Amino acid sequence: MKVSTPTRITLRVVALLYLGVLLAVPIVTILWRTFEPGFGAFWASIRTPAAISAFNLSLLIVAITVPVNVIFGVVTALALVRGRFPGRRLLSGIVDLPFAVSPIVVGVSLIMLWGVHGWFGGLEDVGIRVIFGLPGMVIATIFVTLPFVVREVEPVLHEIGTEQEQAAATLGASRWQTFARITLPAIRWGLTYGVVLTIARALGEFGAVIMVSSGFPGVSQTLTLLVHSRYIDDHNTHGAYAAATLLMFLALVTLLLMTVLDRKRPTVHTTAVPAVVAATPVLDESNARSSS
């Protein structure tokens, strides 16, 4: 459909105004309020013990969440694409559950499961505290970030098919060799993109985490909870803006990483074929060693 030049210009102006009102104005306002007293005030605000602890805790949760989601995300994607078993559609629906359920509901559900009076509340009797501690915050973050790796890897597995894996199997490769030499190189870009999305969501999660966190500074307070605490509880407006700027900086780094990866992301055909070509000598060598 051809669009006239005035219509095209009008649509562009409307889109830019829409993005400007929703994104540019809030970001500029936060930056202006943050650096209005000077960079020294900003630096002092993010160097407080509470801010450093919140920053470290956020990175710790990300460091735990990402490997767990990578392992279970890849396994789940392989099961959904390669597997044929009863309940496969149900499993696929469960994977998308975090997209449909409010994070607040997730937090309440975790309290009902892991709280003192929950199904697994007996763990506190043996000294394992889940709710209002780091384990509960990690579980909540893992739940809300579960779909990203699965949904980024799943379409790649559909596109590469099983021909390369079957060829490796005919050469005598084990399942682990096939996965390491064929499947993993083929899905590495989708997996990397899913990891970046997981990091971005884990850093910015608020609703589920605040329900299972005590919110005490230096104990179980992430950067998002620090912004909320400074703005609502302490009425420290500049401190809240400074923490928000730090969080926004981390999000910006993640966004730039996503952009770089997206530009370098090759097509499936340029990834899967060299993978099996590169793997074939290795498999032949492995078979020669085993036969000798």
Side-chain angles (χ1 to χ4, degrees), residues 31 38 63-65 91 122 129 133 140 154 160 194-195 201 206 209 215 229 255 258 261 265 291:
L31 292 176
I64 298 174
T65 301
L91 178 61
R129 188 175 188 180
E154 188 177 1
I160 65 176
V195 167
R201 179 61 190 275
F206 175 77
V209 171
S229 175
L255 179 62
M258 289 174 57
L261 291 177
R265 190 174 185 176
S291 62

Side-chain angles (χ1 to χ4, degrees), residues 2-238:
K2 294 184 178 180
V3 181
S4 62
T5 301
T7 303
R8 187 167 59 251
I9 294 175
T10 302
L11 291 175
R12 290 177 180 177
V13 171
V14 171
L16 290 175
L17 288 176
Y18 179 78
L19 293 176
V21 171
L22 289 183
L23 297 177
V25 173
I27 290 176
V28 171
T29 302
I30 292 175
L31 292 176
W32 179 71
R33 291 289 182 88
T34 300
F35 295 105
E36 183 182 13
F39 183 81
F42 163 74
W43 183 252
S45 182
I46 64 171
R47 290 295 297 172
T48 61
I52 294 175
S53 176
F55 178 80
N56 293 335
L57 182 59
S58 296
L59 294 185
L60 177 61
I61 293 176
V62 170
I64 298 174
T65 301
V66 170
V68 172
N69 273 341
V70 166
I71 295 173
F72 287 98
V74 172
V75 171
T76 303
L78 287 171
L80 292 175
V81 177
R82 301 287 190 257
R84 295 294 181 270
F85 55 91
R88 189 165 62 93
R89 292 186 177 180
L90 177 61
L91 178 61
S92 180
I94 293 175
V95 169
D96 290 331
L97 195 61
F99 289 143
V101 178
S102 170
I104 299 294
V105 176
V106 174
V108 173
S109 302
L110 292 178
I111 293 175
M112 295 176 62
L113 287 174
W114 300 95
V116 177
H117 303 290
W119 291 1
F120 308 108
L123 291 176
E124 291 207 12
D125 297 335
V126 295
I128 301 177
R129 188 175 188 180
V130 178
I131 301 300
F132 305 131
L134 177 61
M137 301 170 70
V138 171
I139 294 174
T141 307
I142 289 175
F143 183 88
V144 298
T145 57
L146 172 67
F148 294 108
V149 172
V150 179
R151 293 314 182 198
E152 286 295 327
V153 172
E154 188 177 1
V156 180
L157 289 173
H158 276 295
E159 291 186 21
I160 65 176
T162 59
E163 291 81 4
Q164 308 297 335
E165 297 171 356
Q166 292 175 355
T170 59
L171 294 173
S174 63
R175 290 186 178 181
W176 171 249
Q177 287 177 318
T178 302
F179 173 78
R181 298 291 181 177
I182 305 299
T183 309
L184 187 58
I187 67 173
R188 69 181 185 273
W189 288 105
L191 179 60
T192 304
Y193 206 66
V195 167
V196 174
L197 291 175
T198 301
I199 294 174
R201 179 61 190 275
L203 285 173
E205 180 53 36
F206 175 77
V209 171
I210 196 174
M211 294 297 297
V212 298
S213 168
S214 64
F216 293 146
V219 179
S220 59
Q221 191 177 70
T222 61
L223 279 175
T224 53
L225 300 184
L226 178 66
V227 175
H228 177 267
S229 175
R230 284 181 171 180
Y231 194 84
I232 301 297
D233 300 332
D234 302 336
H235 302 288
N236 182 5
T237 305
H238 179 262

